[in-house]
Amino acid sequence: MKKIILASNSPRRKEILTKGRIDFTVVKSNYEEVSPNFYSENSIKKNSLYKALDVAEQIAYPAVIIGADTMVILVEGSNSVCLLKPENFNQAFSMLKKLSGKTHKVVTSISLVESVSKKCLTEIEETCVTFRKLSDNEIEEYIKKFNPLDKAGSYGIQDFLTEDGKVSDKFAKLMPDCKSFISNIEGDYYNVMGISLNKLKEMLLKF
């Protein structure tokens, strides 16, 4: 069996693959992903594919390379706006304020590339996430205690809920007087966290 390489140093994606008992190594991609203001299927697919292709050029042995990119999408009027990683507290606050009381979509593109032949496969997984109405104090407290500045949309689903829908221990400990920000999820939990394990395993079997 060929080696499997994750073209990402994301701790969340590494955690998901480990939970899925996928034997993998990490080779970080040097590709600088496109961060559009508005959602484009072509952009997200390009990001995941080019991450994997960059790693394919770095190695000299047969392997299957996994590239992934996740975008948080909020519909505002006629536009599908991408909520990127915030640069500071104020940006994080603004994003969470926008998500308050609304349903948004988390889209992840997964690409597989065979390092020698450059054969490739790219597919998309979508999950809908609904936030309850949040107070300004709750948003401020969450940002201060969880520091979500490395996450698209300014939040991590694992901060609030476990895979089986229970309140996370960390959230219960750090914000004991607060309910989970997330009131409903339609789709794959791990897709929101960083990569859909079910979709990835299906793709690896196809590949």
Side-chain angles (χ1 to χ4, degrees):
M1 185 176 177
K2 290 178 182 174
K3 287 186 176 181
I4 295 177
I5 295 174
L6 177 63
S8 169
N9 207 28
S10 162
R12 291 169 288 279
R13 291 192 179 121
K14 288 190 284 187
E15 179 185 344
I16 293 167
L17 266 64
T18 300
K19 282 187 176 180
R21 298 183 179 180
I22 295 173
D23 186 14
F24 71 99
T25 56
V26 171
V27 177
K28 189 175 182 298
S29 175
N30 296 315
Y31 173 72
E32 292 191 17
E33 61 189 46
V34 176
S35 299
N37 291 321
F38 301 104
Y39 175 68
S40 160
E41 189 172 301
N42 287 337
S43 291
I44 195 170
K45 284 183 172 180
K46 180 180 177 182
N47 281 344
S48 65
L49 178 59
Y50 280 38
K51 286 177 184 178
L53 287 170
D54 178 80
V55 170
E57 296 298 327
Q58 294 182 43
I59 64 173
Y61 51 87
V64 176
I65 303 156
I66 302 166
D69 188 42
T70 301
M71 293 183 181
V72 176
I73 316 299
L74 180 65
V75 175
E76 294 183 336
S78 59
N79 296 317
S80 295
V81 179
C82 292
L83 301 183
L84 308 174
K85 294 177 183 178
E87 294 181 2
N88 52 49
F89 180 96
N90 289 339
Q91 284 189 10
F93 183 91
S94 177
M95 285 185 200
L96 290 169
K97 188 78 171 172
K98 287 180 179 180
L99 294 174
S100 173
K102 296 176 183 174
T103 297
H104 62 276
K105 189 180 293 184
V106 181
V107 183
T108 300
S109 177
I110 305 173
S111 293
L112 302 181
V113 171
E114 202 284 319
S115 60
V116 177
S117 67
K118 302 301 189 291
K119 171 188 171 186
C120 59
L121 173 67
T122 297
E123 294 188 8
I124 280 180
E125 184 76 11
E126 298 183 354
T127 303
C128 290
V129 180
T130 302
F131 272 32
R132 65 174 176 81
K133 195 72 175 174
L134 308 174
S135 71
D136 289 357
N137 285 340
E138 287 174 326
I139 295 172
E140 290 176 5
E141 187 178 1
Y142 170 70
I143 298 169
K144 288 174 182 176
K145 291 182 176 178
F146 287 83
N147 193 32
L149 301 187
D150 64 334
K151 299 177 179 71
S154 303
Y155 78 93
I157 190 170
Q158 67 278 10
D159 292 343
F160 307 117
L161 298 172
T162 60
E163 181 189 5
D164 56 4
K166 295 179 181 177
V167 175
S168 75
D169 290 342
K170 186 177 180 181
F171 189 82
K173 181 179 179 181
L174 295 181
M175 299 182 68
D177 299 323
C178 184
K179 291 192 302 179
S180 169
F181 285 17
I182 296 172
S183 61
N184 189 55
I185 302 171
E186 291 182 22
D188 191 308
Y189 170 93
Y190 286 119
N191 186 55
V192 185
M193 193 172 165
I195 191 168
S196 168
L197 192 53
N198 289 334
K199 172 69 75 175
L200 176 59
K201 287 185 172 181
E202 286 174 8
M203 291 174 67
L204 287 169
L205 284 173
K206 285 184 194 175
F207 209 65

